[in-house]
Amino acid sequence: MQQEKIVALEEIKVRQDEERAHLRILIKDLEKRSVQKLLDKNVVPVAAVVIMACNRPDYLERTVESILKYQTSVASKFPLFISQDGANGAVKNKALEYKQITYMQHVDLEPVQTERPGELTAYYKIAKHYKWALDNLFIKHNFARVIILEDDMEIAPDFFDYFEAAAKLLDNDKTIMAVSSWNDNGQKQFVNDPKALYRSDFFPGLGWMLTKSTWIELSPKWPKAYWDDWVRLKEVHGHRQFIRPEICRTYNFGKHGSSLGQFFEQYLEPIKLNDVHIDWNSEDLSYLGEDKFSTKFGKEVASATPLRGSDAVLKAHNMAEDVRIQYDDQEGFEQIARQFGIFEEWKDGIPRTAYKGVVVFRYNSSQRRIFLVSPDSLRQLGV
């Protein structure tokens, strides 16, 4: 009897394995047909757009509705995907309501092994999901570029125009690793110009585009967790930079998520989402080339009035022109940043949004700029 039970169980397992394999083939076939249906044979897509989702159906709906408002008219240029991690039924049902979107599902039943005690397993699951989704879009579906969004974002009216213009930059300038729609210091009081774009040594994330060639480089060494901080390591991005706008083209409304609402009220809620339409394809973006930008930005920093001393921040409040304040080290930067209310955080020796050690932001939503500069910034900028 014992033997019969074992044989019966083995037969059940074989059947289940066969059914699983059959289901995988069916899913792949459906995905392929779904993608082919979405693609216009006469239009080469600019980029696939993928919304990374997990277990928040209400957030996903808000994100999709925001995207469709502007994507429908350019659907053939920007085919839309939802990639769900896990088997949350409400999220799957919500995703499948949208016939114009291709649904992908990543189900990984293996237990998560964290590297340090007390770590959140969510960060490991997120990293695994990102790798799976990007491998699918770049390698299986062969897209040249992919824009990654998360299920707690709304987009600006010129989001797709911005990325279409940026695609040319990415293709022609190998010193740019990715283009982002996000500015960490994009809170209402620190921004003014909807056309201003910058190079940055700090990876912003939160609505970003990369090319297939960059993904082929990153995929084999993709980390087990904390993928965004990994991209911020100098050993990963090397001498390449990122393009970011002054005014954000995405708004993150995700108060509840893996980061547990960290920094939400101070840094995310006050972000200004761009509300004017810029015709990016008629804008001359050649100034963003490495040499041109370094020269132009260097002149702007050098021409700002230097302020020194322990009361430099106080003096800055009473000036009418651009000013620059030097910080000596990370602790000095954090002290100054805290007084203005901008992000204090550094990763791998780079402050958020910095270019050659310079962090720039507007003063009280005006045209006036504050430049926080390292002791070496002017030399790095060739000034």
Side-chain angles (χ1 to χ4, degrees), residues 34-43 45 75-76 79 141 143:
S34 180
V35 172
Q36 283 168 349
K37 220 189 311 173
L38 281 180
L39 298 180
D40 183 333
K41 287 180 174 61
N42 301 314
V43 179
S76 56
H141 295 308
F143 285 104

Side-chain angles (χ1 to χ4, degrees), residues 3 77 322 345 353:
Q3 192 64 36
K77 289 183 184 179
D322 290 353
E345 189 185 22
T353 77

Side-chain angles (χ1 to χ4, degrees), residues 54-282:
C54 181
N55 57 6
R56 304 182 292 188
D58 51 338
Y59 276 23
L60 178 62
E61 181 175 28
R62 183 171 163 183
T63 296
V64 171
E65 294 301 330
S66 167
I67 292 167
L68 289 179
K69 212 185 295 177
Y70 307 112
Q71 185 262 0
T72 307
S73 61
V74 290
S76 56
K77 289 183 184 179
F78 294 95
L80 195 50
F81 293 76
I82 292 171
S83 183
Q84 181 186 357
D85 188 34
N88 183 288
V91 166
K92 185 171 186 172
N93 291 339
K94 179 55 63 183
L96 292 171
E97 282 178 20
Y98 300 100
K99 304 303 175 201
Q100 66 275 62
I101 301 175
T102 303
Y103 172 73
M104 312 192 302
Q105 187 175 22
H106 174 245
V107 179
D108 182 13
L109 302 175
E110 284 189 20
V112 176
Q113 299 289 327
T114 61
E115 292 187 347
R116 287 171 291 276
E119 281 186 297
L120 281 174
T121 58
Y123 292 115
Y124 287 79
K125 290 179 178 178
I126 290 166
K128 210 168 189 181
H129 180 207
Y130 266 73
K131 185 179 186 324
W132 177 85
L134 290 171
D135 277 344
N136 261 275
L137 293 166
F138 279 123
I139 296 161
K140 183 172 148 191
H141 295 308
N142 200 29
F143 285 104
R145 302 170 209 89
V146 173
I147 297 168
I148 300 110
L149 290 166
E150 290 162 22
D151 64 352
D152 54 3
M153 291 179 178
E154 291 177 335
I155 66 168
D158 60 346
F159 177 91
F160 292 107
D161 273 3
Y162 169 69
F163 277 110
E164 186 169 2
K168 296 168 194 138
L169 280 177
L170 259 187
D171 291 347
N172 299 328
D173 188 343
K174 298 307 170 194
T175 67
I176 300 171
M177 189 175 188
V179 175
S180 176
S181 57
W182 183 259
N183 172 14
D184 280 307
N185 291 323
Q187 295 77 17
K188 295 175 181 76
Q189 66 271 32
F190 301 130
V191 298
N192 173 273
D193 184 358
K195 288 186 179 182
L197 305 179
Y198 297 85
R199 289 180 81 102
S200 174
D201 296 307
F202 191 99
F203 170 62
L206 293 175
W208 57 290
M209 177 170 69
L210 78 166
T211 62
K212 184 176 181 178
S213 59
T214 300
W215 180 248
I216 296 301
E217 171 203 333
L218 297 180
S219 179
K221 50 189 181 179
W222 195 251
K224 289 180 182 174
Y226 312 108
W227 67 267
D228 47 350
D229 284 342
W230 176 79
V231 177
R232 290 173 183 135
L233 296 175
K234 288 172 193 161
E235 67 187 73
V236 175
H237 61 76
H239 297 293
R240 292 169 294 186
Q241 277 117 22
F242 308 92
I243 301 296
R244 66 162 184 89
E246 179 170 313
I247 299 182
C248 291
R249 265 60 191 183
T250 41
Y251 179 79
N252 187 310
F253 59 83
K255 191 169 186 177
H256 308 290
S258 297
S259 301
L260 306 176
Q262 188 185 23
F263 304 137
F264 183 80
E265 282 168 16
Q266 187 178 354
Y267 295 114
L268 300 182
E269 203 167 27
I271 286 285
K272 178 176 172 61
L273 178 65
N274 180 54
D275 55 6
V276 297
H277 193 95
I278 306 295
D279 180 8
W280 286 106
N281 287 304
S282 64

Side-chain angles (χ1 to χ4, degrees), residues 357-368:
V358 180
V359 170
V360 57
F361 54 95
R362 304 283 176 173
Y363 181 77
N364 277 353
S365 311
S366 69
Q367 290 187 344
R368 266 190 66 203

